[in-house]
Amino acid sequence: MKRTTISLIAVATALAAVTGIASLTSPDGDAAPQNKAAARLPVERSSLMCPAPSTSELAETLYTSFTPAAGEGAGAGGGAEKPTAELRPSASVLADTDAAPAKDDKDADADKDADGEKEAGDSAAAARKPAPDKPVVVLEAPGKPVAADADGGEAPALVGTATGALAPGWTAQQTTTVPAGGGRGLLGVSCTAPDTDFWFPAASLAERRQDYVHLTNPDDTSAVADIELYGKDGELKSTLSEGITVPPGGTVPVLLSTLTADKADDVTVHVTTRTGRVGAVVRSADETDGSDWLAASADPAGTAVLPGIPADATSVQLVAFAPGQEDADLKVQLAGPTGTITPAGFEKLRVKSGMTAMIDLKDVTRGEAGTLVLSPAEKGRETPVVAALRVVRGKGEKKEVAFIPAAAPVGARATVADNRDKGSFLSLTAPGKAAQVKVSVSAGTRGGTAAVKTYTVKAGTTLTITAPVPEGLRGTFALTVQTVSGGPVHASRMLEVPDDGIPMFTVQNLSDDRGTVSVPVAEQDLSVLDD
């Protein structure tokens, strides 16, 4: 028998085998279903990054880590034999300094500002203060938060990964109290997931402000980031904001005022990556008003919802930016406990393309907590914008600042950690249709019983509640919000810790935790065997 004949027989046999397998694996011998919707399955891996908390020796930082139980909106993840969720010191503070990027003398001289904050790439500093490569926070099971603390100004940025059943909905909170000094305040931030694009309205280059953007790289290869600054007249000139290298597993804080010679009271910061991905957040310190973290705004959209302005706010400043090619004409409304109103004198806001706009809303809430809603002034003409609020409580020398960026909807589920028996408040806003939400509180880090309550949020209103507290609470607890029915809900949590008459507070948005991912349905296709 010729070799050609043998080859043809072999091919025919292989085709018969593949066809047989296809018929056996298709139910009842029918063809695989066509156009079947993709399944939503729990994610199997999550990454989070927490920035270096403070440079003050008086700083006290609490880290809290939590993953909702499998029954709270998503199933358990798989893929890992033993699930893990750990936050470790960033590589930039480890004893191994060979991985730190080299700097020339000019860069080294510019690293240190008046407060002594340094870029993470300073290998000499890392060598003097090596940090052990061991986890700072270790979560062992869903449904129960864990906490760890750190004191002083040398606590590092943290990089973390969760796998298996601990990955879906994993969240971590970093809360720092600084009682005195230039960085005084309660600084809170939900540790960020890595991305390639971030917008930060409400940053500043004013002389009284020191704003740093912290870039953290969770991956094993370097990331390269660009930073653009936009003021009221457009993009600010800069020669140092392009090609910023963030080493593998490392973090780099960048003082915004070193990127440009221009001064601007209100700027929008745009962080993008050329290669890799980073977590990004801005730390803002004001000489008179205190300090806090400014998280990224929700993605540019025609409507922006900024939830949870406290009832006793003494100053509210709105900063917005239009990143597209068209100007944005926006209607400004306040959703309060009984309905939506238009603040007198602030009915509309025009945001020119590529320029940062600011309006001082003063004490817009007038004793009632609410949510600011920006929407197109003309129906059918939606121009994407990003936005954030700078909110001040208190007066005179007893003032404290926090930021509220535009929030994406809660979606299926959203969680915030580090809630306490006193001073935790939840704001729920339904800007369109009425909605019903389920609020779950976990057990405490050191004891307590989980509980669930259901709330109805009327259309066009903001419902502000004192966060439910687990019975027998010891330590801090996590709070999970799920949309049960109705329209989109936007939410935030305010945490207040008064100190010596100063109403210290911080606000974190609750947005969909993306605990599930769409997985396309695979189908058998014998056409791949065609020549």
Side-chain angles (χ1 to χ4, degrees), residues 360-371:
D360 189 349
L361 299 171
K362 305 183 186 302
D363 55 344
V364 65
T365 56
R366 298 188 181 277
E368 291 185 333
T371 292

Side-chain angles (χ1 to χ4, degrees), residues 58 60 176-181 184-186 393 397-400 495-505:
L58 302 176
E60 297 180 355
T176 302
T177 303
V178 182
R184 172 189 58 77
L186 182 69
R393 298 173 71 209
E397 296 181 355
K398 303 292 186 179
K399 292 190 293 186
E400 168 70 333
L495 176 65
E496 65 173 6
V497 183
D499 182 74
D500 192 26
I502 301 172
M504 290 189 177
F505 75 115

Side-chain angles (χ1 to χ4, degrees), residues 266 314-319 332 343-346 349 357-364 372 389-392:
D266 303 289
T314 53
S315 173
V316 179
Q317 294 178 337
L318 167 65
V319 182
V332 180
F346 305 108
L349 172 65
M358 188 280 285
I359 55 173
D360 189 349
L361 299 171
K362 305 183 186 302
D363 55 344
V364 65
L372 203 70
L389 296 172
R390 182 179 182 273
V391 180
V392 174

Side-chain angles (χ1 to χ4, degrees), residues 62-121:
L62 178 69
Y63 302 100
T64 311
S65 176
F66 177 75
T67 294
E72 296 177 2
E81 293 183 2
K82 182 179 180 181
T84 60
E86 299 179 344
L87 287 165
R88 295 174 174 270
S90 64
S92 55
V93 297
L94 300 181
D96 180 9
T97 59
D98 292 339
K103 296 184 177 185
D104 58 32
D105 293 339
K106 182 179 179 180
D107 289 338
D109 291 340
D111 277 352
K112 192 172 182 180
D113 75 333
D115 286 336
E117 185 157 354
K118 290 195 173 187
E119 290 188 4

